[in-house]
């Protein structure tokens, strides 16, 4: 990880203060993602699907020091006590649950395909020089979501529909109320655009449609 302090002058000092909680959360999330991927790599029976997940695991291990580098560049250190409860609780659940389809919808769709997609794109657009290493993450996640879609299309569509409906409800009732104190100040500082919630909602519906579900039913 190169020293990115030199690029700090490109970031608004007011924005720097609101970036730390967000990046701190992403750092801890990524340690959990490494654990979740590590659990399922040896359990995947199909060779192609096992290789896809091993590829993701390798990528996520690179992203842990990437987030650490951003946090250090902002003059902070990681602090798990600032992590939002929904993030902590969702990953605790995903590390325990024995249904991998549940993990793929919770992690690859909600956490990475929707929340991470919004966050990474907004951060990179806001300060491309500072967040330059994030471009590889954005590129990787596009392909990774396509592989996750193939995984989901191979599974029971009824169970998949239940999971999408359940995570949509979770997003509305738990994730959004808990994440707003984190991203509200980021929006007020002008780092995130005002329509990030709408963007995330549309993205979730698009992914539902792409795996053969009725997005209207999922989003009802
Ligand atoms: Fe990641």
């Amino acid at each position: 990880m190169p020293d990115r302090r030199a690029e700090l002058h490109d970031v608004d000092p007011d924005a720097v203060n609101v970036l730390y909680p967000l990046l701190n959360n992403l750092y801890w999330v990524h340690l959990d993602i490494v654990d979740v991927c590590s659990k399922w790599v040896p359990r995947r029976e199909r060779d192609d699907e096992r290789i896809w997940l091993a590829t993701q695991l390798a990528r996520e291990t690179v992203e842990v020091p990437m987030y650490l580098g951003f946090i250090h560049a902002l003059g902070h250190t990681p602090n798990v006590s600032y992590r939002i409860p929904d993030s902590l609780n969702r990953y605790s659940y995903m590390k325990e649950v024995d249904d991998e389809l549940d993990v793929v919808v919770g992690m690859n769709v909600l956490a990475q395909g929707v929340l991470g997609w919004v966050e990474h794109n907004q951060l990179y657009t806001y300060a491309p020089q500072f967040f330059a290493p994030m471009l590889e993450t954005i590129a990787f996640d596009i392909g990774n979501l396509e592989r996750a879609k193939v995984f989901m299309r191979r599974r029971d569509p009824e169970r998949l529909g239940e999971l999408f409906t359940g995570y949509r409800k979770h997003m509305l009732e738990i994730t959004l109320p808990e994440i707003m104190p984190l991203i509200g100040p980021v929006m007020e500082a002008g780092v995130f655009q005002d329509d990030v919630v709408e963007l995330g909602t549309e993205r979730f519906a698009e992914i539902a449609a792409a795996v053969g579900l009725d997005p209207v039913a999922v989003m009802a």
Side-chain angles (χ1 to χ4, degrees):
M1 176 78 196
D3 185 351
R4 308 212 68 77
R5 287 179 186 84
E7 282 84 32
L8 261 181
H9 67 273
D10 292 330
V11 180
D12 177 353
D14 290 341
V16 168
N17 296 329
V18 300
L19 287 173
Y20 167 61
L22 185 71
L23 292 164
N24 179 64
N25 210 64
L26 282 164
Y27 169 78
W28 294 103
V29 161
H30 271 73
L31 286 174
D32 281 343
I33 293 174
V34 167
D35 288 347
V36 173
C37 292
S38 301
K39 172 181 169 180
W40 287 99
V41 167
R43 296 184 184 201
R44 284 199 171 177
E45 291 177 5
R46 287 184 64 121
D47 291 342
D48 56 353
E49 293 179 354
R50 195 167 58 256
I51 290 164
W52 294 344
L53 192 59
T55 306
Q56 182 185 348
L57 173 58
R59 174 65 210 163
E60 308 291 1
T61 61
V62 174
E63 292 177 6
V64 172
M66 176 185 81
Y67 288 110
L68 191 60
F70 291 140
I71 291 166
H72 286 160
L74 295 177
H76 291 278
T77 52
N79 186 331
V80 74
S81 64
Y82 296 147
R83 191 170 177 185
I84 62 168
D86 176 50
S87 159
L88 189 67
N89 296 335
R90 244 183 315 116
Y91 276 97
S92 298
Y93 170 76
M94 284 191 283
K95 282 197 267 190
E96 291 302 317
V97 71
D98 253 338
D99 174 2
E100 202 196 359
L101 192 56
D102 193 332
V103 173
V104 169
V105 179
M107 186 175 76
N108 295 78
V109 177
L110 175 59
Q112 299 188 294
V114 174
L115 302 175
W117 175 78
V118 168
E119 290 165 349
H120 294 145
N121 279 295
Q122 299 273 323
L123 289 171
Y124 180 74
T125 304
Y126 176 73
Q129 271 181 288
F130 183 73
F131 288 112
M134 206 172 264
L135 200 54
E136 280 181 46
T137 299
I138 292 168
F140 180 85
D141 284 357
I142 291 169
N144 200 51
L145 181 62
E146 292 309 307
R147 292 186 284 275
K149 286 177 189 169
V150 175
F151 179 98
M152 289 184 278
R153 285 195 291 261
R154 288 173 175 170
R155 265 67 187 180
D156 174 21
E158 200 174 322
R159 176 69 183 139
L160 187 63
E162 285 171 10
L163 288 165
F164 263 79
T165 306
Y167 275 107
R168 160 69 177 157
K169 197 165 176 282
H170 182 99
M171 187 164 71
L172 279 179
E173 294 175 3
I174 299 171
T175 307
L176 277 174
E178 289 195 15
I179 209 172
M180 282 318 285
L182 191 77
I183 64 167
V186 184
M187 288 161 73
E188 280 162 29
V191 177
F192 279 10
Q193 302 300 303
D194 292 340
D195 60 351
V196 286
V197 174
E198 290 77 14
L199 280 172
T201 304
E202 282 169 24
R203 176 81 167 173
F204 193 85
E206 280 168 18
I207 300 170
V211 294
L213 300 174
D214 176 0
V216 177
V218 167
M219 305 304 278

